[in-house]
């Protein structure tokens, strides 16, 4: 990426592989700032350690544990610290730091939906945008420094990036409200009432809304009611809702009118907007948005509609998941357990 020309590029996983990320780390000359929810891929760990050995100053901020208390970054932290790399837990101000970002030499920023876990590089649909636009890079750096030093960070009313907590809900709602012809969305979770309302209102005013989501059985049980409810509300107004066949959906991406897109870490859920550190970017670059549209259409071809009827939900949750249908008040005649008592 030229230092003299302000540009953005896109990385689409698994198509583009981890190579562009590894090459960016290998090209670092002065410093690398990494903020990551899960960091476990051996090749990326090695690339960062090797950069440290050649004299690059590296700061790594890792989310200490999931909401459940599960820790995933302990071994990586140990390996990085053994290499002399400074590692900190993410800012405790947030319930979780779900942001996935990297800045190279304070000149190139990566804003990503993907964790640095091998599965996110090989079997999930994920995205990253790189930018060397000075104002965007400076804002990502400012957010990193604030979280590193445990200080307040307010990018202001005219923030270039999309932040949670902060302007995330408003920016995404406005993005949807301004759509005139089409909205394409890929996200794991559709649980925020404001965003669901905006998607419904878009469909009602004649915008073509296509949504790709994870199947209900993949949702956590304590989020099943609101997750399924959001999908069914959209389905009721004619929004087409599909689930991808050939990959696992992890990317968080919206496209409006084939000319604007948002990519980042933000799930469309209240927790992401109100309690987590998240980061996304809105882009209008014609070549980037065109590729996102092409990928969405290809994924749509390799998908199938979600069956959100009572019968469909019951079958999905009981045959493919661990149940949970009892929480949804489905109008299904359950088999009488006494039939099996003999």
């Amino acid at each position: 990426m030229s230092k003299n020309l302000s540009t953005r590029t896109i990385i689409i996983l698994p198509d583009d592989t981890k190579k562009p990320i590894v090459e960016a780390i290998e090209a670092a000359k002065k410093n690398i700032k990494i903020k990551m929810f899960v960091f476990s891929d051996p090749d990326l760990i090695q690339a960062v350690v090797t950069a440290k050995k050649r004299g690059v100053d590296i700061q790594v901020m890792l989310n200490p544990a999931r909401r459940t208390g599960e820790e995933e970054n302990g071994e990586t932290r140990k390996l990085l610290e053994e290499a002399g790399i400074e590692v900190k837990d993410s800012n405790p101000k947030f319930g979780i730091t779900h942001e996935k970002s990297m800045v190279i030499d304070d000149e190139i920023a990566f804003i990503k939906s993907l964790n640095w876990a091998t599965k996110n590089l090989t079997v999930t649909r994920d995205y990253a945008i790189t930018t060397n636009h000075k104002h965007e890079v400076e804002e990502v750096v400012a957010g990193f420094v604030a979280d590193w030093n445990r200080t307040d960070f307010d990018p202001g009313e005219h923030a270039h990036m999309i932040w949670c907590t902060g302007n995330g809900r408003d920016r995404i709602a406005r993005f949807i409200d301004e759509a005139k012809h089409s909205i394409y969305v890929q996200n794991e979770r559709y649980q925020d009432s404001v965003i669901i309302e905006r998607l419904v209102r878009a469909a009602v005013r004649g915008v073509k809304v296509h949504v790709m989501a994870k199947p209900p059985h993949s949702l956590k049980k304590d989020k099943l009611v609101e997750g399924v409810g959001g999908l069914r509300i959209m389905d009721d107004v004619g929004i087409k809702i599909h689930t991808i066949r050939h990959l696992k959906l992890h990317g968080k991406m919206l496209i409006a009118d084939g000319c604007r897109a948002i990519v980042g870490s933000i799930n469309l859920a209240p927790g992401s907007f109100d309690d987590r550190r998240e980061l996304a970017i809105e882009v209008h670059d014609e070549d980037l948005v065109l590729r996102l549209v092409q990928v969405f259409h290809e994924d749509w071809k390799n998908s199938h509609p979600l069956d959100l009827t009572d019968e469909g939900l019951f079958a999905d949750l009981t045959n493919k998941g661990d149940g949970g249908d009892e929480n949804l008040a489905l109008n299904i005649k359950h088999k009488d357990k006494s039939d099996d008592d003999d």
Side-chain angles (χ1 to χ4, degrees):
M1 185 181 293
S2 170
K3 295 180 182 179
N4 300 318
L5 180 65
S6 294
T7 58
R8 301 183 188 93
T9 66
I10 188 166
I11 302 168
I12 295 177
L13 279 303
D15 309 45
D16 296 339
T17 76
K18 70 185 79 172
K19 184 179 177 182
I21 302 172
V22 172
E23 288 179 343
I25 296 169
E26 291 174 343
K29 294 178 174 59
K30 296 180 294 184
N31 57 69
I32 303 174
K33 296 176 176 66
I34 298 166
K35 195 188 297 185
M36 195 58 57
F37 182 58
V38 178
F39 183 3
S40 58
D41 181 74
D43 292 337
L44 292 175
I45 294 171
Q46 186 57 53
V48 171
V49 169
T50 300
K52 175 64 177 179
K53 288 179 179 177
R54 68 171 187 272
V56 178
D57 180 53
I58 300 175
Q59 296 170 295
V60 178
M61 211 179 319
L62 297 175
N63 186 70
R66 289 182 178 267
R67 184 170 49 87
T68 59
E70 179 186 1
E71 298 181 9
E72 294 181 290
N73 293 317
E75 183 62 29
T76 298
R77 182 177 191 136
K78 179 182 176 183
L79 292 170
L80 296 176
E81 289 179 336
E82 287 175 351
I85 295 170
E86 191 173 7
V87 183
K88 277 190 178 184
D89 285 345
S90 51
N91 191 341
K93 173 182 178 179
F94 306 101
I96 284 174
T97 287
H98 195 239
E99 175 184 342
K100 305 100 159 52
S101 66
M102 175 174 67
V103 181
I104 302 288
D105 294 336
D106 295 331
E107 294 176 346
I108 304 172
F110 287 63
I111 300 94
K112 298 168 282 187
S113 69
L114 64 136
N115 292 300
W116 279 6
T118 303
K119 68 177 183 180
N120 292 115
L121 300 160
T122 56
V123 298
T124 67
R125 172 62 76 218
D126 263 304
Y127 304 95
I129 298 290
T130 77
T131 176
N132 67 356
H133 285 250
K134 189 171 185 291
H135 52 283
E136 293 173 345
V137 176
E138 287 178 346
E139 196 169 295
V140 177
V141 170
F144 183 96
V145 170
D147 285 350
W148 184 268
N149 294 324
R150 308 320 198 218
T151 57
D152 290 337
F153 172 64
D154 181 5
E157 182 181 351
H158 303 292
H160 300 288
M161 313 301 287
I162 303 172
W163 295 95
C164 300
T165 57
N167 64 359
R169 182 182 281 111
D170 289 344
R171 283 283 300 274
I172 293 176
R174 192 187 324 147
F175 180 90
I176 295 168
D177 289 346
E178 291 173 354
K180 295 178 173 59
H181 308 293
S182 64
I183 300 173
Y184 302 144
V185 191
Q186 288 183 334
N187 206 283
E188 289 185 282
R189 295 164 60 189
Y190 297 83
Q191 297 166 355
D192 187 76
S193 59
V194 172
I195 302 304
I196 292 167
E197 174 206 357
R198 291 314 211 280
L199 290 170
V200 166
R201 289 172 67 87
V204 169
R205 70 174 182 268
V207 176
K208 179 174 71 173
V209 182
H210 285 185
V211 161
M212 301 195 75
K214 294 176 68 176
H217 73 263
S218 67
L219 297 173
K220 292 182 174 62
K221 281 192 176 182
D222 62 340
K223 298 296 182 182
L224 190 59
V225 172
E226 57 187 325
V228 168
L231 294 174
R232 295 184 97 178
I233 288 169
M234 292 189 290
D235 183 61
D236 284 344
V237 298
I239 293 174
K240 294 185 182 299
I241 303 172
H242 282 209
T243 186
I244 198 168
R245 279 198 186 101
H246 63 305
L247 293 169
K248 294 181 179 179
L249 178 61
H250 184 260
K252 300 91 171 67
M253 182 265 286
L254 301 93
I255 307 169
D257 298 330
C259 63
R260 325 180 263 127
I262 290 175
V263 169
S265 67
I266 304 171
N267 283 309
L268 303 178
S272 289
F273 291 122
D274 301 326
D275 185 52
R276 298 184 174 193
R277 168 62 83 211
E278 307 270 14
L279 176 63
I281 184 171
E282 180 174 344
V283 296
H284 297 232
D285 310 65
E286 185 176 354
D287 56 336
L288 270 62
V289 178
L290 176 60
R291 188 164 181 222
L292 286 171
V293 170
Q294 291 171 338
V295 169
F296 185 92
H297 285 320
E298 185 64 27
D299 287 348
W300 193 261
K301 289 178 184 176
N302 290 287
S303 69
H304 60 84
L306 275 178
D307 185 350
L308 294 169
T309 64
D310 284 3
E311 293 78 10
L313 288 168
F314 179 75
D316 179 72
L317 293 169
T318 56
N319 297 337
K320 298 180 181 178
D322 298 322
D325 58 283
E326 66 278 1
N327 297 323
L328 297 178
L330 301 177
N331 187 20
I332 294 290
K333 292 182 179 180
H334 293 268
K335 183 180 179 182
D336 188 342
K337 293 182 180 179
S338 64
D339 291 346
D340 296 327
D341 288 347
D342 295 340

